[in-house]
Each structure stands twice: as structure tokens, then as C-alpha cells.
């Protein structure tokens, strides 16, 4: 076997081992996310897509802080607006059941939990 081929195989093996180590670390981080259950939530839907925020009710909030939260929602009501502003009017609503959404954080007040940083799924 020539020297170039040996080097190429060595580099390939090193990259494969490094990728495996990184993927293993990522799995542990993703598994550490806080899991939350909410009975009901509302989310605005704009012409450009879903809002990055949602308001939920009857949630069991975790005791410790996490970077990401996985929210399991029994009933999610999405209000579809005609445009990207509230004064554009409502086009309709859609009720979804048993949805899971990930969010970065929350603020809770008066029985409602306002989740923010929720990328579309």
C-alpha cells in the first residue's frame, strides 16, 4: 500500500472518530432539555409563518432552568391572520391536538406561561 493511501485512510479514521465523539456529546445535551406539559396553548400564525411565541395554560413548570424546553401540549389553537399585523384581520383558527414544541424560555404570570424563542417545527 502506498504512503498517500495510508495517510488518507488515517485521516478518514480520525475524522470518523471525532464525529462520533461530537455526536455522542450532542445526544447527552439534547436529552438534558426540560420537559413540560401544558393543557392548552395559543399561537399566532402570520402570513410569513408561525409566531416564535406562544401562550400556554395549566403547565407543570420544571424546578430547574434549562437552555431548551420541550413542551407537550394537549390542545394547541393557532389563530391565522390575513397579514403580518393584528389590524389585518383574522383568517380563521385551527385546533391541533397532542403537539410538541421546543422553546428557549418562558415568563409566567397570573396562571399563564408565555413561551418565547420557539422555532417553527
Amino acid at each position: 500500500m502506498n504512503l498517500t493511501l495510508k495517510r488518507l485512510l488515517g485521516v478518514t479514521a480520525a475524522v470518523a472518530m471525532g464525529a462520533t465523539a461530537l455526536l455522542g456529546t450532542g445526544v447527552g445535551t439534547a436529552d438534558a432539555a426540560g420537559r413540560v406539559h401544558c393543557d392548552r396553548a395559543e399561537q399566532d400564525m402570520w402570513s410569513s409563518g408561525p409566531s416564535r411565541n406562544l401562550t400556554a395554560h395549566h403547565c407543570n413548570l420544571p424546578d430547574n432552568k434549562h437552555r431548551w424546553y420541550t413542551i407537550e401540549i394537549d390542545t394547541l389553537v393557532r389563530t391565522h391572520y390575513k397579514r403580518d399585523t393584528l389590524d389585518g384581520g383574522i383568517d380563521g383558527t385551527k385546533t391541533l391536538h397532542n403537539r410538541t414544541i421546543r422553546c428557549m424560555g418562558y415568563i409566567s404570570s397570573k396562571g399563564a406561561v408565555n413561551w418565547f424563542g420557539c422555532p417553527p417545527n
Side-chain angles (χ1 to χ4, degrees):
M1 189 180 302
N2 70 21
L3 185 60
T4 305
L5 185 58
K6 286 182 183 180
R7 287 181 183 167
L8 184 61
L9 288 174
V11 168
T12 304
V15 169
M17 286 187 293
T20 303
L22 287 175
L23 287 174
T25 305
V27 169
T29 306
D31 198 33
R35 295 194 76 78
V36 178
H37 176 267
C38 298
D39 290 340
R40 180 178 169 83
E42 297 92 29
Q43 185 177 33
D44 294 330
M45 298 293 288
W46 308 105
S47 62
S48 60
S51 170
R52 302 304 190 257
N53 304 324
L54 62 96
T55 302
H57 307 278
H58 306 287
C59 298
N60 63 339
L61 296 175
D63 295 335
N64 50 0
K65 300 287 183 188
H66 293 277
R67 184 172 176 108
W68 283 95
Y69 297 90
T70 302
I71 304 119
E72 296 170 353
I73 303 168
D74 289 341
T75 304
L76 175 62
V77 178
R78 287 184 164 167
T79 303
H80 292 263
Y81 291 92
K82 292 180 182 177
R83 294 192 309 239
D84 285 338
T85 60
L86 292 173
D87 62 351
I90 295 175
D91 197 24
T93 61
K94 186 174 184 178
T95 303
L96 305 170
H97 299 283
N98 301 322
R99 294 293 172 173
T100 301
I101 296 179
R102 293 194 56 193
C103 297
M104 286 184 66
Y106 66 91
I107 300 170
S108 90
S109 66
K110 299 179 185 174
V113 180
N114 296 307
W115 295 96
F116 58 86
C118 311
N121 55 355

